[in-house]
Amino acid sequence: MKQKLASLIYWIKSLLVKVFKKYDGRWAYIITTTIALALFIGGIKLFISLTETLKSTYLAESDTAISNYVASFRTPYLTSYFVFVTDLGDALGYVITFVLCTIIFYFTFKKWRYVAQLAFVMVLALSSNLLLKQIINRARPDVEHLVKVETLSYPSGHAMMAMAFYGTLLFLISKFPIKRLYKILFITLCLILILSIGISRIYLGVHYPSDIAGGFIAGFVWVVFCVIVFDLIQIFKRDPAT
């Protein structure tokens, strides 16, 4: 991602130099940031498009069909697994995981920047999720809940936080100076956790599938936007022309 951004900035700089006699080196970064913002807005529009269909008959039928299909696989073993996974996606689970990541980032990689980036995305995802829930005001599914829930339904906070937290970890892991096999293992684990946390909310009867889709989209939007901004900051710092 960083190499692609650097190439894009270099191309914009070259174009601006040709077009303008007096060129301010910061313009390339302003334009690139604008492009990143456009991608962010595009993700928001996709989220809004899904949100606008929440009351449609087609989506209601799809939610019911998918929920019934997932519930048909309920067994004591799977229930125990998904309760554990959904607890891992609660606030306490993220606090413990975040502390572990902080210890690893500091003692293994000496990178406080990774801690700050992970915390920043988490705060954005959590605050925006709480705000969106209040604005959209969608009630929980009217079926048996296998775990206790207190907040509103859309978008799923578990799905949104899972995508934001573990999605950011995927980005950070790609930068770790570790063996390729370990990277593959960590990336696979993160992907399994993202999917498991999302599915667990449907399985336990506390979310519609569209809640999960909305949460994943919103969380992914934050990850993409923040990853671009993080890389832009690093490129900006290393460019003496700015």
Side-chain angles (χ1 to χ4, degrees):
M1 175 67 78
K2 187 181 295 184
Q3 292 179 344
K4 292 180 179 179
L5 281 173
S7 298
L8 175 61
I9 291 171
Y10 177 78
W11 179 82
I12 294 174
K13 281 185 176 182
S14 301
L15 181 62
L16 290 174
V17 168
K18 292 178 181 179
V19 175
F20 301 102
K21 293 181 179 180
K22 292 183 178 180
Y23 164 66
D24 187 337
R26 291 173 294 183
W27 273 105
Y29 292 93
I30 293 173
I31 292 173
T32 308
T33 304
T34 301
I35 294 173
L37 184 60
L39 292 173
F40 176 66
I41 293 173
I44 292 176
K45 289 186 68 176
L46 177 61
F47 176 81
I48 292 173
S49 296
L50 174 61
T51 304
E52 289 176 344
T53 66
L54 290 181
K55 295 182 179 181
S56 69
T57 302
Y58 173 77
L59 187 62
E61 292 175 349
S62 298
D63 275 342
T64 300
I66 296 172
S67 296
N68 290 339
Y69 178 74
V70 172
S72 69
F73 289 93
R74 284 180 177 174
T75 64
Y77 172 78
L78 276 180
T79 299
S80 297
Y81 170 73
F82 281 125
V83 168
F84 168 77
V85 168
T86 210
D87 286 342
L88 190 63
D90 279 332
L92 180 59
Y94 283 115
V95 169
I96 295 172
T97 308
F98 181 77
V99 170
L100 291 174
C101 289
T102 300
I103 294 171
I104 293 172
F105 292 165
Y106 178 72
F107 288 103
T108 304
F109 304 112
K110 307 296 182 182
K111 295 289 186 180
W112 278 113
R113 183 176 75 249
Y114 293 164
V115 178
Q117 290 175 350
L118 188 59
F120 182 68
V121 178
M122 287 178 64
V123 170
L124 284 177
L126 178 60
S127 58
S128 58
N129 180 261
L130 294 174
L131 179 62
L132 287 169
K133 281 180 180 290
Q134 293 300 318
I135 293 174
I136 298 169
N137 194 32
R138 189 187 199 188
R140 295 276 181 172
D142 188 19
V143 296
E144 179 188 7
H145 297 170
L146 300 187
V147 291
K148 185 179 179 181
V149 288
E150 296 178 355
T151 59
L152 295 167
S153 193
Y154 183 91
S156 166
H158 276 69
M160 190 168 172
M161 287 298 296
M163 181 62 74
F165 183 86
Y166 293 107
T168 304
L169 270 185
L170 289 174
F171 163 68
L172 296 177
I173 289 170
S174 68
K175 296 173 173 287
F176 290 171
I178 58 177
K179 293 182 179 179
R180 183 179 180 85
L181 176 60
Y182 294 151
K183 284 189 178 184
I184 293 173
L185 290 175
F186 284 129
I187 288 172
T188 301
L189 177 61
C190 287
L191 291 174
I192 290 174
L193 285 172
I194 291 172
L195 291 174
S196 293
I197 290 174
I199 294 173
S200 74
R201 306 305 283 172
I202 304 172
Y203 179 93
L204 298 171
V206 294
H207 274 296
Y208 298 103
S210 53
D211 296 336
I212 307 304
F216 279 160
I217 292 171
F220 185 73
V221 167
W222 277 127
V223 172
V224 171
F225 179 73
C226 290
V227 164
I228 293 174
V229 171
F230 295 155
D231 280 347
L232 277 175
I233 291 172
Q234 292 303 308
I235 295 171
F236 184 84
K237 287 181 177 179
R238 296 175 185 176
D239 189 347
T242 59

